[in-house]
Amino acid sequence: VISTRFFDTLPQCEFLSGYAEMLKHGLIDGAKHYSDLLSYNITAINAETLLPLLQYSVGIKQRIVEQDPQERGMRKILNLGHTVGHAIESHSHSHSCAVPHGYAVAWGLVCELLIAHRALSFPSAVIYDLAHFVERNYGAYAITCEDYDELMAFMQHDKKNFNDKINFSLLSDVGVCAINNQIGRKEIEISLDFFRDLFHL
């Protein structure tokens, strides 16, 4: 049972944290739902207009989980944004500046789409639009090249890895999923460089 009345009790940062997961679902699903999410005014939450978006978003996850309950295949795409996102979240905790999980996912989505751009030709225009949305609503997580070693170490401990390689769930376009992408350190660091450029860090 989902009731949007409870959104009235949430601080804005908690709502935004959940909305990042909806953005992930939109990227996985396709252009129409993703566009609806980007155009929704998340600074003025309206339960009546939000409910259909939330229902659709929950339905996306439900369909994927039902198709792959053991996470042996396409369910891995639900980890989109979380490999880098978890690293950012862990980094923030280790430096006593903890950020909400969903904020880390939002930044992780941008970074992993940058990885997907180089690895799978994900369209750059979509990345710019998402980066602007994220910067406007979530701000930026300040990292420098001196943080790369620590971020990489956190990524190495991600549950999706095997054979000491960092395994990403990526997209080649909105709605076009590609799991089990082995990405090397150099490509990840290049994407972190682009991430810093996009967020003026």
Side-chain angles (χ1 to χ4, degrees):
V1 176
I2 296 174
S3 172
T4 52
R5 289 185 182 183
F6 291 105
F7 288 135
D8 295 335
T9 71
L10 285 178
Q12 180 71 359
C13 67
E14 294 295 339
F15 171 79
L16 287 171
S17 196
Y19 202 81
E21 298 286 354
M22 292 176 64
L23 288 172
K24 177 195 74 176
H25 292 156
L27 284 163
I28 291 169
D29 181 68
K32 173 63 170 65
H33 182 57
Y34 178 62
S35 176
D36 289 344
L37 291 170
L38 282 188
S39 61
Y40 186 78
N41 184 3
I42 59 177
T43 63
I45 303 168
N46 180 299
E48 185 175 340
T49 58
L50 180 62
L51 183 58
L53 292 175
L54 181 59
Q55 287 175 312
Y56 194 87
S57 184
V58 170
I60 293 167
K61 183 171 185 177
Q62 180 180 354
R63 289 193 299 273
I64 293 172
V65 170
E66 286 176 348
Q67 292 169 14
D68 182 17
Q70 302 300 320
E71 197 172 341
R72 294 175 178 169
M74 193 47 66
R75 183 173 171 178
K76 294 178 182 179
I77 198 61
L78 292 175
N79 292 307
L80 179 69
H82 283 67
T83 301
V84 175
H86 282 151
I88 290 174
E89 188 176 11
S90 296
H91 182 273
S92 74
H93 282 274
S94 70
H95 290 266
S96 301
C97 57
V99 298
H101 172 73
Y103 280 57
V105 169
W107 298 317
L109 285 171
V110 175
C111 194
E112 291 186 23
L113 292 187
L114 288 165
I115 293 172
H117 173 68
R118 291 179 59 82
L120 302 171
S121 299
F122 186 91
S124 58
V126 178
I127 303 173
Y128 286 119
D129 287 343
L130 178 62
H132 291 152
F133 181 92
V134 170
E135 185 174 29
R136 186 167 64 251
N137 294 288
Y138 297 84
Y141 186 73
I143 57 172
T144 71
C145 58
E146 294 180 358
D147 296 307
Y148 289 3
D149 283 345
E150 189 174 356
L151 289 168
M152 292 297 303
F154 286 128
M155 286 183 230
Q156 288 283 0
H157 289 92
D158 191 271
K159 67 177 183 178
K160 298 179 297 300
N161 296 336
F162 53 90
N163 295 332
D164 296 323
K165 294 186 178 180
I166 299 179
N167 188 35
F168 285 86
S169 296
L170 300 174
L171 303 174
S172 58
D173 204 343
V174 177
V176 184
C177 307
I179 61 173
N180 297 330
N181 298 273
Q182 308 301 307
I183 306 297
R185 176 173 179 136
K186 181 178 179 181
E187 286 299 313
I188 296 171
E189 290 187 347
I190 290 172
S191 297
L192 290 172
D193 288 339
F194 283 132
F195 173 88
R196 291 168 52 212
D197 288 342
L198 279 174
F199 287 94
H200 316 291
L201 298 173

